[in-house]
């Protein structure tokens, strides 16, 4: 999630303003065990300012050290480290940033320049525009980048990174742990609601359905999906989300051609046929499609 958007949500929340006057709550992150050497740091659902720590973080314990996929909001680094230490004595040696947003890259600096930071090349470019990575912060930018596919580690410690095209941003990595048949989607699949397409960072709600289709076709042998900001999902959930985004795109495109306003197009998009889906983000996604098609 973009920092400014997040701030807007926080400011809009009455609970947040009360929390701001009270002493800061202890920063505690929940941890979920998926495998003996693979955990998820959750507390990732936006909206609750007290417990929202940033996106889901995968903690993969390998022979050579711990790899994190994403590292949550700035200020949560110690809480991340405490949870990692609760399950392993090994040091954190690698961080994969799925994309540029501060709720996924916020503690690169906390973990330090000696950790190998990996991201898709466009994400590095996007991160270079962030205040956190200017000047002295530049040493916490990804040093290892790739364009389409990258494998790090081998055997049971292997991790595959894939880029399939624009969507949430223009640099989103899908991270696969082949030994465990687990996929971390970052915010390409964040929640059961309309996607957030960050056009300032090359995101595209017009391209997103096709990018997700390429990911589904290109990544096989998955049992569990770690989404960006929700409880664990299945490959079927990812397929349903892809269809949701394709439906949303075609609906918005048709409504725009018919001369309907964004409000009208958002109101006439029905999420009922997608069980468990919300429509809180539908209007913003429709707006993103309109803005993109207008160009
Ligand atoms: Zn994001």
């Amino acid at each position: 999630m973009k920092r400014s958007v997040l701030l807007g949500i926080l400011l809009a929340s009455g609970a947040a303003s009360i929390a701001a006057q009270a002493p800061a709550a202890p920063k505690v992150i929940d941890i979920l065990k998926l495998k003996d050497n693979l955990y998820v740091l959750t507390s990732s659902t936006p909206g609750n300012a007290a417990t929202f720590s940033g996106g889901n973080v995968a903690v993969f314990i390998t022979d050579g050290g711990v790899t994190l996929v994403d590292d949550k909001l700035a200020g949560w680094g110690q809480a991340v480290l405490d949870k990692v230490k609760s399950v392993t004595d090994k040091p954190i040696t690698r961080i994969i940033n799925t994309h540029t947003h501060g709720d996924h890259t916020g503690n690169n600096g906390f973990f330090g320049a000696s950790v190998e930071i990996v991201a898709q090349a466009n994400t590095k470019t996007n991160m270079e525009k962030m205040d956190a990575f200017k000047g002295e912060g530049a040493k916490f930018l990804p040093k290892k980048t790739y364009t389409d596919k990258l494998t790090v580690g081998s055997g049971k410690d292997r991790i595959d990174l894939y880029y399939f095209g624009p969507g949430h941003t223009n640099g989103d990595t899908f991270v696969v742990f082949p030994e465990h048949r687990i996929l971390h989607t970052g915010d390409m699949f964040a929640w059961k609601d309309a996607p957030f397409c960050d056009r300032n960072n090359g995101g595209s709600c017009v391209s997103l359905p096709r990018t997700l289709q390429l990911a589904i076709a290109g990544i096989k042998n998955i049992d569990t999906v770690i989404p960006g900001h929700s409880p664990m999902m299945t490959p079927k959930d990812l397929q349903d989300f892809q269809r949701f985004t394709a439906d949303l795109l075609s609906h918005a495109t048709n409504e725009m051609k018919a001369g309907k306003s964004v409000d009208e197009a958002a109101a006439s998009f029905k999420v009922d046929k997608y069980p468990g889906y919300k429509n809180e983000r539908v209007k913003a996604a429709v707006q993103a499609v309109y803005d993109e098609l207008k160009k």
Side-chain angles (χ1 to χ4, degrees), residues 127-145:
M127 288 168 76
E128 284 167 348
K129 295 181 288 184
M130 296 169 71
D131 288 344
F133 298 105
K134 287 178 181 161
E136 278 293 292
K139 58 179 179 285
F140 308 120
L141 285 165
K143 291 195 181 63
K144 183 180 275 189
T145 60

Side-chain angles (χ1 to χ4, degrees), residues 33-39 59-62 156-157 180:
K33 181 178 182 175
L34 295 183
K35 302 286 176 182
D36 282 342
N37 67 337
L38 183 52
Y39 295 79
V59 179
F60 187 44
I61 305 163
T62 74
K156 64 179 177 41
D157 292 344
H180 293 319

Side-chain angles (χ1 to χ4, degrees), residues 96-112:
I96 298 167
N97 291 138
T98 59
H99 65 289
T100 189
H101 292 151
D103 54 334
H104 301 259
T105 61
N107 296 294
N108 282 18
F110 176 87
F111 290 108

Side-chain angles (χ1 to χ4, degrees), residues 75-213:
W76 288 81
Q78 188 61 48
V80 169
L81 184 58
D82 289 346
K83 278 296 168 187
V84 172
K85 281 184 168 170
S86 75
V87 294
T88 181
D89 295 332
K90 292 188 177 172
I92 294 165
T93 51
R94 182 192 291 128
I95 295 169
I96 298 167
N97 291 138
T98 59
H99 65 289
T100 189
H101 292 151
D103 54 334
H104 301 259
T105 61
N107 296 294
N108 282 18
F110 176 87
F111 290 108
S114 63
V115 171
E116 177 183 63
I117 297 175
V118 188
Q120 205 273 347
N122 298 335
T123 282
K124 181 179 180 181
T125 303
N126 291 335
M127 288 168 76
E128 284 167 348
K129 295 181 288 184
M130 296 169 71
D131 288 344
F133 298 105
K134 287 178 181 161
E136 278 293 292
K139 58 179 179 285
F140 308 120
L141 285 165
K143 291 195 181 63
K144 183 180 275 189
T145 60
Y146 75 100
T147 306
D148 298 316
K149 185 172 181 215
L150 175 70
T151 291
V152 293
S154 61
K156 64 179 177 41
D157 292 344
R158 173 177 170 146
I159 307 171
D160 294 326
L161 292 79
Y162 297 87
Y163 175 72
F164 289 106
H168 179 64
T169 70
N170 64 354
D172 299 277
T173 292
F174 290 80
V175 182
V176 178
F177 304 100
E179 173 81 6
H180 293 319
R181 302 170 63 95
I182 290 172
L183 161 66
H184 192 313
T185 61
D187 284 356
M188 285 298 286
F189 178 26
W191 40 56
K192 291 187 175 181
D193 196 336
F196 169 46
C197 303
D198 177 7
R199 300 188 65 237
N200 289 327
N201 281 301
S204 167
C205 274
V206 173
S207 301
L208 182 92
R210 180 168 179 275
T211 303
L212 286 172
Q213 190 56 59

